[in-house]
DNA sequence: TAAGTATTTAGATATTTGTCTAAATATTTA
DNA sequence: TAAATATTTAGACAAATATCTAAATACTTA
């Protein structure tokens, strides 16, 4: 969870995740949406990948980035523990 | 959302939130669960309060801290936008 | 009112972070 | 194979962060 929260603690990185909801994009396509240099965006992509919020795949000259929703599910569970309904619903029984 | 993610980007602060699931606690009670100095914990509590993840109430000599689940709901919505089911379910219709 | 307890504020410092430019790597195309 | 394109790596630097100790504030109790 540490790397996940670290990755999410930046507006640009959160915006990148939202961009990728619409479908996979290359590093360059992603960079074009922001005013930062390409190395800066590359660094953000790296942190998102470290947190496994993204996956990347090289196709020829390009690298395509995609959302990885597996970690999102873990995050969702983490957040749900704080919702009032969580402890009332036996489906979420906590050890 | 910025202050929320900032507040969550620290293990100690996330642990404080989990502590408070069991019920309200004073600043001192909270501090006793950690190895850090009281000023350090006080600072963490401040950041959590800035993010409105906690509320505080003074009672005599003590200050009681409580979870504030309102902001948790906003966070939950933010996370849900990335779950596959989100866009399929008309209940979560997005502007 | 003086001493004790609870908590925060202030100020210092080492570490982490976000950004940049320049250079390196890998692929495609002329 | 040389030039162009896509992306990352390396290294530098300013700003933000987490921590500490010392001091201040506020309340309670002897």
């Amino acid at each position: 969870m540490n790397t996940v929260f670290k990755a999410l603690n930046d507006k640009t990185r959160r915006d990148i995740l939202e961009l990728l909801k619409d479908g996979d994009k290359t590093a360059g396509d992603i960079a074009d949406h922001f005013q930062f240099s390409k190395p800066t965006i590359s660094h953000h992509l790296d942190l998102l990948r470290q947190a496994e919020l993204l996956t990347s795949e090289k196709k020829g000259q390009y690298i395509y980035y995609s959302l990885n929703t597996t970690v999102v599910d873990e995050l969702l569970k983490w957040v749900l523990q704080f919702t009032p309904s969580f402890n009332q619903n036996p489906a979420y029984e906590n050890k």
Side-chain angles (χ1 to χ4, degrees), chain A:
Chain A
M1 278 290 101
N2 242 308
T3 54
V4 175
F5 284 110
K6 178 173 166 174
L8 295 177
N9 186 28
D10 183 276
K11 179 75 163 74
T12 303
R13 291 195 289 268
R14 294 195 302 272
D15 287 347
I16 289 173
L17 292 180
E18 299 204 26
L19 251 185
L20 290 175
K21 279 195 304 179
D22 295 342
D24 303 353
K25 291 197 167 39
T26 68
D29 285 345
I30 295 167
D32 289 344
H33 280 82
F34 300 95
Q35 305 238 297
F36 300 114
S37 71
K38 284 178 184 194
T40 292
I41 297 299
S42 181
H43 176 61
H44 285 314
L45 290 170
D46 188 42
L47 291 176
L48 287 165
R49 203 159 35 71
Q50 279 178 40
E52 297 180 77
L53 285 161
L54 298 185
T55 57
S56 63
E57 192 184 356
K58 185 154 192 171
K59 283 189 186 163
Q61 205 171 3
Y62 301 92
I63 298 179
Y64 283 84
Y65 282 90
S66 324
L67 272 182
N68 175 17
T69 52
T70 318
V71 175
V72 172
D73 284 346
E74 281 178 50
L75 176 61
L76 198 58
K77 274 182 207 153
W78 187 89
V79 177
L80 278 172
Q81 75 180 306
F82 299 109
T83 62
S85 57
F86 179 76
N87 291 311
Q88 287 165 21
N89 187 342
Y92 292 113
E93 195 64 57
N94 218 355
K95 67 128 188 332

